Amino acid sequence: MRTLNVALGARAYPIHIGGSLLDRPELILPHLKTRRVVIVTNDVVGPLYLERLQSGLKALDVGVGTVVLPDGECHKDWQTLNLIFDALLGDRCERSTTLIALGGGVVGDMGGFAAACYQRGMPFIQVPTTLLAQVDSSVGGKTAINHPLGKNMIGAFYQPRLVLADTSVLNTLPPRELAAGLAEVIKYGLIRDPEFLEWLEINLDRLLEREPEALAFAIERSCSNKAEVVAADETEQGERALLNLGHTFGHAIEAGLGYGVCLHGEAVAIGTMMAAELSLRLGWLSATELARIESLFRRAGLPVTGPKLGVERYLDLMSHDKKVEAGRLRLVLLRGLGKAVIHADSPAADLAAAIEARCA
Amino acid sequence: MRTLNVALGARAYPIHIGGSLLDRPELILPHLKTRRVVIVTNDVVGPLYLERLQSGLKALDVGVGTVVLPDGECHKDWQTLNLIFDALLGDRCERSTTLIALGGGVVGDMGGFAAACYQRGMPFIQVPTTLLAQVDSSVGGKTAINHPLGKNMIGAFYQPRLVLADTSVLNTLPPRELAAGLAEVIKYGLIRDPEFLEWLEINLDRLLEREPEALAFAIERSCSNKAEVVAADETEQGERALLNLGHTFGHAIEAGLGYGVCLHGEAVAIGTMMAAELSLRLGWLSATELARIESLFRRAGLPVTGPKLGVERYLDLMSHDKKVEAGRLRLVLLRGLGKAVIHADSPAADLAAAIEARCA
Ligand SMILES: NC(=O)c1ccc[n+]([C@@H]2O[C@H](COP(=O)([O-])OP(=O)(O)OC[C@H]3O[C@@H](n4cnc5c(N)ncnc54)[C@H](O)[C@@H]3O)[C@@H](O)[C@H]2O)c1
Ligand SMILES: NC(=O)c1ccc[n+]([C@@H]2O[C@H](COP(=O)([O-])OP(=O)(O)OC[C@H]3O[C@@H](n4cnc5c(N)ncnc54)[C@H](O)[C@@H]3O)[C@@H](O)[C@H]2O)c1
Ligand SMILES: [Zn+2]
Ligand SMILES: [Zn+2]
């Protein structure tokens, strides 16, 4: 088992990474405030893993309640969040009860937001079960639900007390979901870790084969990159924005197609290609470097060109992005492989050309 | 104008107290992040004061959106909270837009919670218009909405950037609401400020006549008491619990009667009498001291005896209180006038007798 510490002062917490951690509830015990937990999961992950986690905790004399939500991004809303509150209040949970989120990013985001709000904050533990959740959404304390007018618009910054990333549960993950997680893994290499990027170019196939050691390394390295950025900028005022490489374009694609058509990681891969294209036009990235990014995404099974929504529509959708400040579009671009920068006011013609180049 | 500083480190903020502050938008301007605000109010306060605040800000070149919620504690729920989110997103508010809550504690709690959650946190300013909101709910950063199974169960700790307490708006406040606010004012004297308690005994009639200078003094002194407690214990782990004098009993009364029958401040007055009765039985308070508390509440127009719900029902309702930890009922009691303490495990017979003594 690998353990990484997220340095957030009084809110510091460990991430344990390794095989079969679901069967080691003793890792969870020291992080509970009282011997009482509620596990929040969904109707896809629940049947696979809930019983194991639950019985392990019960054997340690922990009282365990459960809430099983309907699966899917389309349920990341008020109505579903209220199912958690209904259960917590119905069970008379105290604010010292710990909420454990068992599932992908959707369950983690909703469980975390519910924990942040329940009696103004109850202890929270993440057991992420998708690669994306293990390398991204479970680290950093962002929680949220969607609003009909925007994704992740209602939420909180709320840190877990522990993240348990069990690499074995990734064996049941559909290949497309694995690939989507790899998009975020590759992102860390691109924005700030050129050495990791090279490791990925060499070891990508091992990840696709779900080799436990390779997965554990990639997850640890990803989390450590994210944790460093988050520790430096917990509430997203500056550096943390670099984590959004490809995301402003990506969100436009997700919104333009209607949520659910394209996975988030897929949209990020395409968006990253658009950001790379723009960086190329600004003279910051060479054609060879751009080709290396493209090849890595392709090998991972990710798309590298976006839907033909039309440049105008892209720009309009991008202007709705949360990262827009006082009307200015700030984009994360690449100054070479392994170095991201924030750039406001890219020339409109270059931006349009970059989008166009990736809508084939 | 009096100004009080709430010392919360990076989240420190001022409270301005005085007459006609609504007409001084220049006090608000330095606390905005951008020249854009959304004022949240309700359909009772809005017609009285919205236009004044709005036009003043507009004259300073601030863009002003408005959201008018239905009035009443019964609307302190998800549905109404969503009206705020709908408006913020419909207007494409950025997370740098400032939300101003103009109203009593209900508007303040909902506006504050909306600000805490919108894009995971937008700047927030309180313009409290009831005495209770000016001396209590606008200070301390607690925000929340109700759930069908419990009051204030879903919320956040979220500090405003500024509180503007305009004493003139209290002139339109119904007398019963003024009295309810006085219950919390008297509470500060009882828990930690014997000198203020004496001042109140002497000056209560000036407050009932809404004399501006007396009001401003009482509001400042109340806020400064609350701010000191909150600064020492922002997230309510210890000392802050003292602010709940009378509240565990009071919440039982509110819940037992059905919300809305009895005002919160009225329930607090009755609950404080029950806490005083119990303190008397424990030998901590003299009969004379108890009589002084009762007389002050009576003069303020507050009830001093509760509904006959039956002792069993009281105890059951009290066991649901948020302050219950691991099943133990912790009560705030008085060790003399001006000194509150937290006490767990009061003898059951004394507790029952104290409740009984105040259900006449
Ligand atoms: N909080 C953050 O910082 C952050 C960062 C990135 C993404 N997110 C959010 O995360 C969400 C996406 O997360 P996701 O990609 O994990 O999606 P997801 O949670 O929807 O999971 C994808 C699918 O895989 C299923 N699944 C999960 N684990 C499984 C397993 N072990 N075996 C088989 N099936 C499994 C899920 O039930 C779901 O059907 C989005 O809502 C996004 O906004 C949040
Ligand atoms: N956040 C906290 O720390 C905290 C502390 C105490 C109470 N609270 C909450 O505050 C709420 C109670 O607040 P409240 O007593 O202000 O109730 P309220 O907000 O319902 O106001 C009482 C009534 O007076 C009206 N009103 C407000 N200002 C007025 C004015 N100037 N003139 C005429 N009418 C006016 C309101 O519209 C309402 O009808 C409860 O929901 C309680 O949970 C919160
Ligand atoms: Zn992402
Ligand atoms: Zn109160």
Side-chain angles (χ1 to χ4, degrees), chain A residues 95 113 116-121, chain B residues 13 76 81 85 99 101 105-117 122 124-126 136-146 151-160 226 234 236 240 322:
Chain A
R95 70 176 145 188
F113 187 42
C117 297
Y118 186 66
Q119 299 202 15
R120 303 194 188 93
Chain B
Y13 61 89
K76 196 174 151 182
L81 187 74
F85 294 134
L99 189 152
V106 170
V107 165
D109 277 15
M110 280 204 287
F113 187 42
C117 297
M122 69 193 295
F124 172 50
I125 288 175
Q126 292 258 31
D136 187 356
S137 62
S138 69
V139 186
K142 278 201 203 176
T143 69
I145 56 169
N146 301 328
K151 237 183 88 100
N152 293 327
M153 280 291 157
I154 319 292
F157 285 99
Y158 197 67
Q159 303 295 344
K226 179 155 185 184
E234 194 178 350
E236 197 163 28
R240 187 157 176 171
K322 230 180 348 207

Side-chain angles (χ1 to χ4, degrees), chain B residues 11 31 99 110 114 134 139 151 162 175 188 192 211-212 231 247 264 277 308 311 326 342 345 352:
Chain B
R11 289 181 301 288
H31 299 277
L99 189 152
M110 280 204 287
Q134 293 183 350
V139 186
K151 237 183 88 100
L162 169 71
Y188 296 115
R192 67 195 302 275
E211 205 185 280
H247 279 62
H264 171 71
E277 290 281 357
K308 284 191 198 284
V311 171
I342 295 177
D345 308 315

Side-chain angles (χ1 to χ4, degrees), chain A residues 92 94, chain B residues 248 314-322 324 327 329:
Chain A
R92 293 200 186 180
E94 295 161 347
Chain B
T248 302
Y314 268 95
L315 295 175
D316 181 48
L317 287 163
M318 287 166 73
S319 74
H320 293 205
D321 201 77
K322 230 180 348 207
V324 173
L329 188 60

Side-chain angles (χ1 to χ4, degrees), chain B residues 132 136-137 180 183-184 187-188 226 243-247 251 254 264-265 268:
Chain B
L132 184 126
D136 187 356
S137 62
E184 303 280 2
K187 179 190 77 178
Y188 296 115
K226 179 155 185 184
L243 296 173
N244 294 316
L245 174 65
H247 279 62
H251 290 154
E254 288 179 89
H264 171 71
V268 168

Side-chain angles (χ1 to χ4, degrees), chain A residues 265-282:
Chain A
E266 294 170 342
V268 168
I270 301 166
T272 300
M273 290 312 302
M274 290 177 175
E277 290 280 357
L278 180 51
S279 308
L280 177 90
R281 277 157 183 77
L282 295 173

Side-chain angles (χ1 to χ4, degrees), chain A residues 132 136 184 187 243-245 247 251 264-265 268:
Chain A
L132 185 127
D136 188 357
E184 304 280 2
K187 180 191 75 178
L243 295 173
N244 293 316
L245 174 65
H247 280 62
H251 290 153
H264 172 70
V268 168

